[in-house]
Each structure stands twice: as C-alpha cells, then as structure tokens.
C-alpha cells in the first residue's frame, strides 16, 4: 500500500503580507504574469501591481475572463509565452487560482497563489477544476506538484464579502466528513494513493477549528477586522481544508456538488453553498444517526447555508432532474465511488429529497424563523 501527502512548498498568511511580499517573491524571478479578474484588480490588484513595479518587477498583467475553461487557459498561456514570463501569479478567487495553476503547468513555470477570498480550498492543491465555457463542471486537471507558494493576506480577505467566507466554511466542513469516509473505505485520495495519518489528522483539525471559531470569524468579517479567531478560520478554509481534501480525499459531498451544477437554477449559488447541501446529502447516504446528522445540520443552518431544495432554487425540481443530477454525481470521472458503499443515481436523488424533508420537519417543530438564501 502506497500512501502520499502533498502540500505547497510554502504557505504564508498574515495581515498585509501582499504588500511585504518582495522577500518571498523575488526567488521566482522578476517577470511575473499577474492574472486577476476585473473586480479584484480594482480592489487590490492595481495597488499590488504598483507595489511590484516599485520593487523592480516587470509585470505582465492579464485580465481573467471569469471561467476556468480550457479556452481561457490557452489564451493566457500564449500571452505568457509572448512575454517570456518567469512565474505566474494567480490573484483572486477559486477560478482565477485554478486557471493560474493550469497556465503555469503549460509554461513549466512556478506558480504563486494569492487568494483574495477564503471561499474554497483551491489555493493549496495540485489540481484545478476545469469548467466548460458556460460554467458546467468538465473535469479535474492534475499536476505533478502543488503551488510553489501560497500567500494569504488576511486583511484583503477580511475586506471581502462575508458570504464568501461562510461559503469557505461550508466547503471546509465537507473536508473531514469526506476524508473519514475515504479512510473507512480505504479508497484513494485526490493524489491517487492512500491516506497518510497526517492527511487524516489535518482533516480532523479542520473540522475542530470550524466548530470552535466560525461564528466569531463571521462577526469579524462583518466588521472587516482581523483577529486570531478570524485568522484561524482563514487557515481552516484555505490550508487545512486544502491539505485535508487533497491528502484526505474527496468522496460524496463534492460529487453531489458536481451533480447539482447540472441544474441551471443552482448556478448563482457559490461552490461552498452547494457543497453544504452535498455534505448533508452524504450524511443521509451514510445513514447517519440523528445526533451525528444534527451536529452538521444545525451548524450549517446557523450560518444561513442551504438546507432545503428551495434554498438551492430547486423548489420545483422534478424527480427526473434530481435523477440526472444523481447520474452526474455518480459519474466515473467523479469521487462518489470513494465512499465505503455503493451509491446509485436514485440513492442520490432520494437523499437530496431527504435533506429537504428533514429540514422542513425540523423547522416546523422548532417554529424558528428561516430566511431564504
């Protein structure tokens, strides 16, 4: 049995680190390609580009078009070639980050990931999720190594939308639920080998951190302040969830997320919001008892994340549509088969409805006010 653990060479997190980053970045040469979307460029990228220029860097700035698709990867790869860049910087959210990794791989160059949100666990991993040009899940693209450096500026993240931090918590909450199922099944992780003790331990530490600090961190995010509790959640969402999902493995929740992306109504929900529902659906598939289910359900509910089909804009979904989502979730390209039991598309469809049914019963019996997403 072969076990494997993967991680970025360095992970640096702190308040204001983007604007003190020359000492970390100069090892990768002074001709970076800076990939950033339009909004991110306005908020932080322009100031960062000026900092780089003042520090003696020759910056090739490219505006990311919003989709981590093969066409976008190829477009930016050509710009990198023309300008003889020495490194790729990905500044932004998950799709910018995933695109930067693919471009660097094409160019055989180092990549520095600079997440502006703690909204998902993409930054640290050696894979990208490649979408179609119109936003459907296409495939995972794997690389030989993880990013050379992940640089996380906690003040930039604290200034971002609170919804995105909560989405990151939701994405991270799936990490241990999925990793423990992978361990039980003795399945392969996202590295294509078996779990290390370290990979499993990080997944557990991730979950513990989320339950201990999430509500404190959300309050901090509302006020745009950086505290130890906030920093713990940024690390939980980014480093622990990243190492945990990759070296601990994905199973049900993310496969269910990918199934949900086939339903157009869910497109304006974030990755994490769909993963939250996926986690509850995996627990239903596992036959979790009420105590175990409630532990995650009450936490997800307390953060205002989706717990009903209506929250996913699927209040009118047909059985056939849920079955199609189930088929996509059970695709051979995905990770449903890493669970310790066999799952059919119909099982997924039933479990998606079961989550909805339980939430409705719970809310009726608790008479609590539930706001729509």
């Amino acid at each position: 049995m072969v076990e494997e653990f993967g991680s970025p060479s360095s992970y640096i997190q702190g308040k204001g680190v983007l604007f003190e980053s020359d000492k970390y970045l100069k090892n990768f040469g002074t001709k970076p390609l800076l990939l950033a979307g339009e909004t991110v460029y306005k908020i932080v990228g322009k100031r960062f580009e000026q900092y780089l220029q003042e520090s003696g860097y020759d910056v090739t700035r490219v505006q990311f078009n919003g989709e981590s698709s093969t066409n976008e990867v190829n477009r930016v790869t050509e710009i990198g070639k023309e300008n003889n860049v020495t490194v790729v910087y990905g500044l932004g959210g998950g799709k910018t980050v995933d695109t930067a990794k693919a471009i660097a791989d094409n160019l055989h160059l180092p990549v520095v990931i600079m997440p502006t949100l703690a909204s998902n666990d993409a930054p640290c991993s050696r894979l990208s999720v490649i979408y179609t040009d119109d936003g459907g899940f296409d495939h995972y693209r794997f690389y030989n190594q993880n990013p050379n450096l992940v640089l996380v500026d906690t003040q930039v993240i604290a200034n971002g939308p609170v919804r995105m931090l909560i989405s990151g918590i939701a994405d991270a909450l799936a990490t241990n639920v999925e990793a423990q199922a992978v361990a039980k099944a003795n399945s392969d992780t996202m590295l294509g080998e078996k779990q290390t003790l370290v990979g499993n331990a990080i997944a557990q530490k991730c979950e513990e951190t989320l339950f201990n600090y999430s509500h404190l961190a959300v309050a901090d995010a509302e006020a745009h302040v950086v505290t130890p509790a906030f920093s713990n959640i940024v690390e939980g969402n980014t480093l622990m969830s990243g190492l945990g999902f990759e070296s601990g493995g994905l199973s049900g929740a993310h496969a269910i997320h990918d199934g949900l992306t086939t339903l157009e109504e869910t497109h304006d929900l974030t990755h994490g919001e769909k993963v939250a529902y996926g986690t509850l659906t995996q627990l239903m598939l596992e036959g979790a008892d009420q105590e175990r289910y409630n532990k995650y359900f009450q936490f997800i509910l307390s953060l205002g994340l989706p717990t009903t089909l209506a929250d996913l804009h699927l209040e009118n979904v047909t059985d056939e549509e849920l079955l199609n989502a189930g088929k996509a979730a059970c695709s051979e390209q995905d990770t449903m088969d890493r669970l310790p039991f066999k799952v059919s598309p119909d099982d997924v469809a039933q479990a998606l409805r079961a989550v909805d049914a339980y939430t409705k019963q719970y809310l009726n019996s608790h008479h609590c006010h539930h706001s729509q997403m």
Side-chain angles (χ1 to χ4, degrees):
M1 192 162 81
V2 179
E3 293 155 358
E4 185 174 355
F5 177 77
S7 70
S9 311
S10 298
Y11 176 91
I12 295 163
Q13 175 183 311
K15 193 173 189 288
V17 289
L18 264 185
F19 302 97
E20 296 162 15
S21 55
D22 173 48
K23 57 178 179 280
Y24 314 120
L25 296 175
K26 57 173 185 263
N27 310 335
F28 304 109
T30 55
K31 289 193 59 139
L33 185 154
L34 174 61
L35 184 72
E38 194 178 359
T39 312
V40 164
Y41 184 72
K42 278 186 202 139
I43 294 167
V44 67
K46 193 173 174 86
R47 196 171 128 227
F48 179 59
E49 186 182 16
Q50 282 162 351
Y51 166 80
L52 290 171
Q53 285 162 344
E54 284 158 20
S55 308
Y57 291 75
D58 172 11
V59 184
T60 299
R61 178 172 76 86
V62 182
Q63 187 174 311
F64 175 56
N65 77 1
E67 204 49 78
S68 55
S69 64
T70 303
N71 286 334
E72 178 66 350
V73 169
N74 294 343
R75 175 183 81 87
V76 186
T77 298
E78 288 311 307
I79 297 170
K81 276 185 192 150
E82 284 159 28
N83 291 279
N84 294 317
V85 298
T86 58
V87 59
V88 178
Y89 298 166
L91 178 73
K95 289 187 172 183
T96 308
V97 161
D98 277 356
T99 305
K101 285 190 261 192
I103 294 158
D105 187 61
N106 285 353
L107 295 169
H108 309 293
L109 290 176
V111 64
V112 179
I113 302 300
M114 303 162 175
T116 52
L117 301 165
S119 63
N120 61 62
D121 49 24
C124 294
S125 67
R126 67 172 77 168
L127 63 84
S128 295
V129 185
I130 303 297
Y131 289 86
T132 56
D133 285 326
D134 58 5
F137 171 78
D138 197 62
H139 63 281
Y140 286 110
R141 176 171 171 178
F142 295 92
Y143 310 113
N144 295 327
Q145 61 178 48
N146 297 63
N148 304 72
L149 170 63
V150 178
L151 193 65
V152 185
D153 191 323
T154 44
Q155 187 62 63
V156 171
I157 290 174
N159 292 344
V162 180
R163 179 185 179 188
M164 300 314 284
L165 185 77
I166 293 173
S167 295
I169 293 168
D171 194 22
L173 186 65
T175 304
N176 195 45
V177 173
E178 293 188 272
Q180 296 314 319
V182 169
K184 217 171 181 175
N186 196 29
S187 294
D188 284 353
T189 69
M190 298 310 280
L191 301 173
E193 305 290 357
K194 302 302 176 204
Q195 246 182 34
T196 49
L197 293 173
V198 169
N200 189 288
I202 291 171
Q204 289 180 53
K205 188 69 184 175
C206 178
E207 181 176 292
E208 179 195 310
T209 303
L210 299 177
F211 277 99
N212 287 341
Y213 297 102
S214 287
H215 285 286
L216 293 166
V218 169
D220 297 334
E222 301 270 5
H224 308 306
V225 294
V226 176
T227 63
F230 180 80
S231 301
N232 287 347
I233 289 299
V234 172
E235 186 188 332
N237 288 5
T238 313
L239 182 63
M240 292 185 222
S241 182
L243 302 183
F245 99 78
E246 187 165 47
S247 294
L250 295 180
S251 50
H254 274 80
I256 292 154
H257 162 279
D258 295 340
L260 289 171
T261 66
T262 65
L263 302 168
E264 234 164 85
E265 296 86 344
T266 68
H267 279 197
D268 58 344
L269 292 158
T270 65
H271 173 78
E273 286 161 358
K274 286 177 281 217
V275 169
Y277 202 92
T279 299
L280 295 176
T281 309
Q282 176 174 331
L283 291 166
M284 284 294 186
L285 289 167
E286 287 180 0
D289 65 31
Q290 198 167 339
E291 190 186 354
R292 176 164 157 79
Y293 186 83
N294 276 348
K295 176 186 172 179
Y296 297 95
F297 165 68
Q298 287 166 347
F299 183 67
I300 286 170
L301 188 68
S302 74
L303 290 164
L305 289 158
T307 58
T308 64
L309 290 170
D311 291 342
L312 297 172
H313 313 310
L314 296 174
E315 57 273 25
N316 302 316
V317 74
T318 65
D319 289 346
E320 192 185 2
E321 286 170 322
L322 287 181
L323 196 60
N324 286 336
K327 281 178 187 153
C330 296
S331 140
E332 280 174 22
Q333 312 305 312
D334 226 307
T335 55
M336 193 69 87
D337 62 356
R338 316 281 167 98
L339 287 168
F341 46 84
K342 188 111 182 64
V343 177
S344 73
D346 183 57
D347 294 334
V348 176
Q350 303 277 338
L352 287 166
R353 287 241 188 252
V355 171
D356 180 72
Y358 182 79
T359 302
K360 286 174 176 163
Q361 180 191 299
Y362 180 93
L363 295 175
N364 282 339
S365 62
H366 288 72
H367 300 295
C368 84
H369 179 67
H370 182 50
S371 63
Q372 288 291 308
M373 290 293 301

